[in-house]
Amino acid sequence: MAAQTIYPINRAEILEGSRFDFKVEFPNAPASADVAVTINGKPAAETFGKPTTFMQSEEGQKHSALWLRGATLPAGNYVVEATQGANKATVKWEVFATAQPRRARNVILFVGDGMSVAHRTAARILSKGWEEGRYNGELAMDDMSNMALISTSGSDSVVTDSANAAHAYTTGHKSCVNALGVYCAKNALTLDHPKVETISEVIKRRNKMAIGVVTNSEIEDATPASMVAHTRRRSDFNDIVKMFHEVQPDVIMGGGSPNFLPKTTPGSKRTDDLDFIAKFKDAGYALATTKAEMNAAVAGGSKKLLGLYNTSNIDGAFDLRLAKKGSTGKFPDQPDVVEQTKAAIDMLKGNEDGFFLMVESARIDKYSHSLDWERSVFDTIMLDNAVKVAKDFAGERNDTLIIVVADHAHPVSIIGTYDDERPGQLLRDKLGVYAESVPPNYGPLDAQGYPTNVDTSRRLAVVFGSYPDTCDIGRPSMGGERVPAVKGPDGKTNIANEADCSGPLATRKAGNLPFDSNTGVHSADDVVLTAMGPGAEKFRGHKPNTYVFRVMAEALALGGK
């Protein structure tokens, strides 16, 4: 017989006073008289000081469930035991307190989605230059006092996705692929799984800090949604918009406007008549759909802003600055992550109790999925410029904790350089490795540190370790984001995209992914975290991703009975 399952799971670290749903699932739908649940040897209800609810055949399924929604516990160590006949399941929790007084007035969490070591290295080469084995400058995210390696696996899989990876930072709990703010139980409905409180919700309950969420993805996407959402399915965009409205972060900026519009509005993606643009305006938010409107809201003294700058994802730095592709023709006045970060800080910094700001450079990941490394590295440079904005704000006051981290990695590496002057007709002929990896000759930098020409005679050779059947041309895709694979004649198997196979050096590559994959996938590699400010000294060595939440909660003294 399968064992009973307890949520939160074993080795959970829970912030003192934070709210979580307690659930135990028993297989084969036993009656309440046939099961028992104790915490530190006492009945669960006695430990929580609240009655639990028992459901036999929960939702008509073949299991029973014992529930307590919105549980809290004082600091301490807890052993939870659930027995069903001769079967016993045991988990251990640590409920941790946070010392007083509060050490950080502000916390700024930068998430480079999918940002791997190679992204940081390539960004440093492109934006700072390289000469005789040394870089000509450091990235803002490198020049920080503390560093750690962060492991990113979820509760169910070695390789995570962006949802439960970001959820670990914003809740301090592990969860499974596609989940946000919940543990993954047997519930049939995506919104009914056992919830854990997000850092935004803890802050809203415990103090008067302002909260900001900034991204260049759709605002409903995994990382920004992790600040407010509770769903087993990260694609529940309409519900996530509702959750943003319930939590009401003071500054919300990204793309994804169709899920805010009632279904009667052309272009809407909602299935109901709710108008969340109107709801946010009624709640005192200024609305910005362009960079000009965003800057006007800042200049006008707005303290609450809903910025929706694209119907989908905001274009990345490569297209905004260089190629002018993507949706730049349709949305010519989109702010980049740097401009959004500056606007958010300007709006939030006046709050007397400080602020918590999460900033995501989302398309590092999205461009890595499409094997478009130049675009992903331009967005890494963009993230670094946003980090500089935050460091300039923090100055010498030592009251702002700044953290820069990825939610997960991609299998990407720099293996040398391509040199058009090397003899041969194949792309591999142009590849110089070891002593032949002559430095690239990208065009001069603009004022923000982006190279003005990347389609040059010597370029970095950046390769991905996961890919479908595809082609590699060894040159930047100036005509738009790469589409590495498309559906084949059978409608199931993905094959190399012929439109991506042009050029004299185009090289066909047999994929190493399952045939239903059409893009690259994430890797389980550790990611680098750098940090500065009060609390940053706790980042050293190797830590699980949930530890990031703990450091932020301790710096802000969010724990308490």
Side-chain angles (χ1 to χ4, degrees):
M1 182 171 67
Q4 45 270 40
T5 307
I6 302 170
Y7 303 100
I9 60 177
N10 191 37
R11 296 187 291 175
E13 296 176 341
I14 304 168
L15 174 66
E16 182 182 29
S18 67
R19 295 174 180 173
F20 62 93
D21 290 347
F22 174 62
K23 185 183 186 186
V24 184
E25 294 175 340
F26 300 93
N28 300 316
S32 60
D34 298 326
V35 301
V37 179
T38 62
I39 301 178
N40 287 352
K42 299 178 180 180
E46 181 179 336
T47 301
F48 286 120
K50 296 179 181 179
T52 56
T53 300
F54 186 85
M55 302 178 183
Q56 190 169 11
S57 300
E58 183 184 39
E59 299 170 337
Q61 300 185 62
K62 295 180 179 180
H63 71 272
S64 299
L66 182 142
W67 278 95
L68 176 59
R69 299 270 190 188
T72 62
L73 284 172
N77 294 312
Y78 296 85
V79 178
V80 185
E81 291 185 346
T83 57
Q84 178 182 358
N87 294 309
K88 180 172 72 173
T90 302
V91 302
K92 296 180 179 180
W93 303 334
E94 179 196 355
V95 178
F96 65 92
T98 57
Q100 297 287 344
R102 173 175 155 186
R103 297 186 60 201
R105 182 176 187 273
N106 313 304
V107 172
I108 306 176
L109 172 64
F110 287 97
V111 178
D113 200 311
M115 183 174 66
S116 309
V117 171
H119 289 111
R120 294 176 75 135
T121 304
R124 199 180 307 115
I125 293 173
L126 266 65
S127 66
K128 304 301 178 183
W130 179 101
E131 186 177 353
E132 296 182 330
R134 292 181 182 272
Y135 298 99
N136 296 329
E138 295 295 326
L139 297 173
M141 68 177 81
D142 292 336
D143 187 19
M144 305 181 90
S145 60
N146 289 81
M147 178 181 289
L149 286 177
I150 302 296
S151 58
T152 64
S153 296
S155 61
D156 63 331
S157 60
V158 174
V159 181
T160 190
D161 84 320
S162 292
N164 62 327
H167 149 110
Y169 295 151
T170 57
T171 70
H173 292 259
K174 290 282 188 179
S175 194
C176 65
V177 170
N178 289 324
L180 290 163
V182 298
Y183 280 106
C184 301
K186 294 184 182 297
N187 297 84
L189 299 178
T190 61
L191 304 186
D192 286 351
H193 292 251
K195 297 177 177 63
V196 291
E197 203 166 27
T198 71
I199 196 165
S200 300
E201 292 169 319
V202 175
I203 288 171
K204 285 284 188 178
R205 282 198 304 105
R206 296 195 65 83
N207 59 41
K208 297 179 181 179
M209 290 177 67
I211 298 171
V213 186
V214 168
T215 184
N216 63 340
S217 71
E218 294 165 302
I219 193 65
E220 308 90 349
D221 207 359
T223 303
S226 74
M227 291 284 286
V228 301
H230 302 281
T231 175
R232 176 65 181 83
R233 184 174 58 201
R234 58 179 284 185
S235 60
D236 286 337
F237 276 18
N238 289 335
D239 293 308
I240 290 169
V241 168
K242 182 180 179 182
M243 294 169 192
F244 266 107
H245 185 259
E246 290 170 348
V247 176
Q248 294 196 9
D250 301 83
V251 174
I252 305 168
M253 289 197 275
S257 57
N259 295 94
F260 285 74
L261 303 171
K263 66 180 182 181
T264 53
T265 302
S268 169
K269 292 184 179 179
R270 294 200 67 82
T271 56
D272 55 37
D273 294 318
L274 296 176
D275 184 345
F276 278 95
I277 299 290
K279 286 180 176 292
F280 274 100
K281 285 182 176 179
D282 290 343
Y285 286 73
L287 173 67
T289 61
T290 64
K291 178 168 57 178
E293 292 176 354
M294 176 188 76
N295 290 335
V298 174
S302 296
K303 300 302 179 185
K304 289 189 174 184
L305 176 70
L306 174 63
L308 297 172
Y309 308 113
N310 200 305
T311 52
S312 183
N313 301 303
I314 297 171
D315 287 299
F318 191 91
D319 288 308
L320 289 172
R321 308 184 70 86
L322 199 62
K324 301 298 181 182
K325 297 298 182 180
S327 64
T328 56
K330 186 177 181 181
F331 301 100
D333 194 30
Q334 304 168 81
D336 67 11
V337 170
V338 184
E339 293 159 337
Q340 290 181 86
T341 299
K342 185 178 185 308
I345 291 175
D346 285 344
M347 287 187 166
L348 298 170
K349 66 183 181 183
N351 186 283
E352 293 182 359
D353 206 31
F355 65 83
F356 182 96
L357 172 62
M358 192 282 290
V359 177
E360 181 196 28
S361 184
R363 302 199 73 169
I364 300 171
D365 171 73
K366 296 181 188 301
Y367 293 134
S368 295
H369 277 293
S370 59
L371 314 182
D372 197 331
W373 78 260
E374 286 91 354
R375 281 178 169 78
S376 67
V377 169
F378 263 60
D379 275 23
T380 307
I381 297 171
M382 179 171 62
L383 175 66
D384 195 61
N385 288 339
V387 172
K388 184 179 184 305
V389 168
K391 291 174 70 174
D392 290 344
F393 160 75
E396 302 297 328
R397 298 176 315 203
N398 198 35
D399 68 353
T400 301
L401 172 61
I402 302 174
I403 300 168
V404 185
V405 68
D407 52 350
H408 59 77
H410 275 269
V412 56
S413 295
I414 303 169
I415 62 169
T417 54
Y418 292 121
D419 190 338
D420 290 347
E421 295 185 5
R422 289 176 61 84
Q425 302 301 313
L426 302 176
L427 179 62
R428 64 195 303 176
D429 294 326
K430 305 298 183 182
L431 175 62
V433 299
Y434 297 114
E436 303 302 322
S437 56
V438 182
N441 59 354
Y442 294 115
L445 302 178
D446 65 16
Q448 283 72 46
Y450 298 93
T452 54
N453 183 12
V454 294
D455 195 9
T456 55
S457 61
R458 288 198 309 277
R459 306 165 303 282
L460 289 180
V462 178
V463 297
F464 290 86
S466 68
Y467 45 87
D469 286 0
T470 190
C471 286
D472 189 353
I473 61 174
R475 306 199 78 95
S477 178
M478 302 303 296
E481 181 182 355
R482 287 196 64 194
V483 179
V486 295
K487 290 293 183 186
D490 64 1
K492 298 179 181 179
T493 301
N494 285 288
I495 61 175
N497 178 15
E498 289 300 320
D500 201 39
C501 294
S502 60
L505 300 178
T507 300
R508 292 184 179 274
K509 298 168 68 175
N512 60 7
L513 293 175
F515 287 105
D516 61 353
S517 297
N518 63 353
T519 68
V521 300
H522 303 168
S523 69
D525 301 357
D526 290 345
V527 296
V528 174
L529 177 149
T530 46
M532 60 183 290
E537 71 281 355
K538 295 182 178 180
F539 290 116
R540 60 186 183 275
H542 166 260
K543 300 294 182 183
N545 52 5
T546 52
Y547 184 75
V548 177
F549 172 88
R550 183 162 182 162
V551 172
M552 296 188 299
E554 289 176 344
L556 294 171
L558 293 179
K561 298 179 181 179

